[in-house]
Amino acid sequence: MKEYLTPAKIKSVARVHMFGRYGVTVRAYIWMNVILLVLTWLFASMNNSGAGSSVSIYIFYFIRFILLGIFMSGSAFMYLNIASGQPAYPGMVFYGFRNHTDKSVVICLALNAMELIVCVPMIALFIMFWQTDDRGYLWFAGAGALIAAIGYIVIRCLFLPAYFLIHDFPDYGVWQIITLCPGIMKQHFGRALYLYLSFIPMAVLEIVSLGAAAPWVQSYLNAALTEMYLDIMRKG
């Protein structure tokens, strides 16, 4: 019987591989988020000046999802290199602009669409509360938020391999990757869930530090997720 690494061991291996590499991943994280932040600021400025419209909102989010998908693909490539002991540098987050761009964008749009669907009840109930000021809707919206959070974690666990598969199986199409992910993760869902939940204390640290700790926490989390993916694929 194959013995997979426990979440604690996965985090331990991630720490070993990340030793001396945080400078790379932290800079990459900052570059990604600065670009997305500048894009958000430009859009907000356009709206404040009255130049925005409902159409521009959709265009903005579409462009943001395109960039996010590309960055996620490049980030996955960078962490695969780190976990494999290969050279890695911050500019790897832009790798997706040159390789598998279409797959990265479509997968990002698909995953975000799933996450949006689980948020629909919560959003609808909050809108009803704002329109009617009926606190009954607020309680239901709170329950909807809990359901949305659970749905978000489930999607993250089931599709954990998505961006890694783009690089490990370049011949696979988007539909193959999306349908393959749940099959890969069905026996490892509990481990993935436990791994995500084990980072809650660090998520609290991110909040307490007003986001200052985010580059290091997210680097550690992404490294751990990469180690879990590789553990599954090597022994699966």
Side-chain angles (χ1 to χ4, degrees), residues 36-50:
L36 294 174
L37 185 62
V38 168
L39 180 64
T40 303
W41 175 78
L42 288 173
F43 175 75
S45 299
M46 183 175 66
N47 270 358
N48 290 336
S49 66

Side-chain angles (χ1 to χ4, degrees), residues 19-99:
F19 184 76
R21 300 290 193 105
Y22 277 99
V24 173
T25 58
V26 166
R27 276 183 289 166
Y29 178 88
I30 291 173
W31 289 359
M32 285 190 300
N33 284 276
V34 164
I35 291 172
L36 294 174
L37 185 62
V38 168
L39 180 64
T40 303
W41 175 78
L42 288 173
F43 175 75
S45 299
M46 183 175 66
N47 270 358
N48 290 336
S49 66
S53 67
S54 57
V55 174
S56 67
I57 293 175
Y58 293 112
I59 293 174
F60 163 74
Y61 279 110
F62 184 70
I63 293 173
R64 193 179 188 280
F65 282 136
I66 288 176
L67 289 177
L68 182 60
I70 293 171
F71 286 148
M72 291 294 290
S73 174
S75 180
F77 181 72
M78 177 179 68
Y79 282 101
L80 283 171
N81 276 30
I82 291 173
S84 303
Q86 300 298 317
Y89 50 91
M92 282 183 170
V93 294
F94 302 110
Y95 181 80
F97 282 98
R98 304 186 305 274
N99 300 274

Side-chain angles (χ1 to χ4, degrees), residues 26 29-30 202 205-218:
V26 166
Y29 178 88
I30 291 173
M202 291 194 174
L205 176 61
E206 286 188 61
I207 296 171
V208 172
S209 67
L210 301 178
W216 288 269
V217 172
Q218 292 302 312

Side-chain angles (χ1 to χ4, degrees), residues 16 44 66 105:
V16 171
I66 288 176
V105 171

Side-chain angles (χ1 to χ4, degrees), residues 167-181:
H167 304 290
D168 278 350
F169 300 92
D171 294 334
Y172 283 18
V174 172
W175 181 247
Q176 284 178 289
I177 292 174
I178 290 176
T179 54
L180 185 60
C181 285

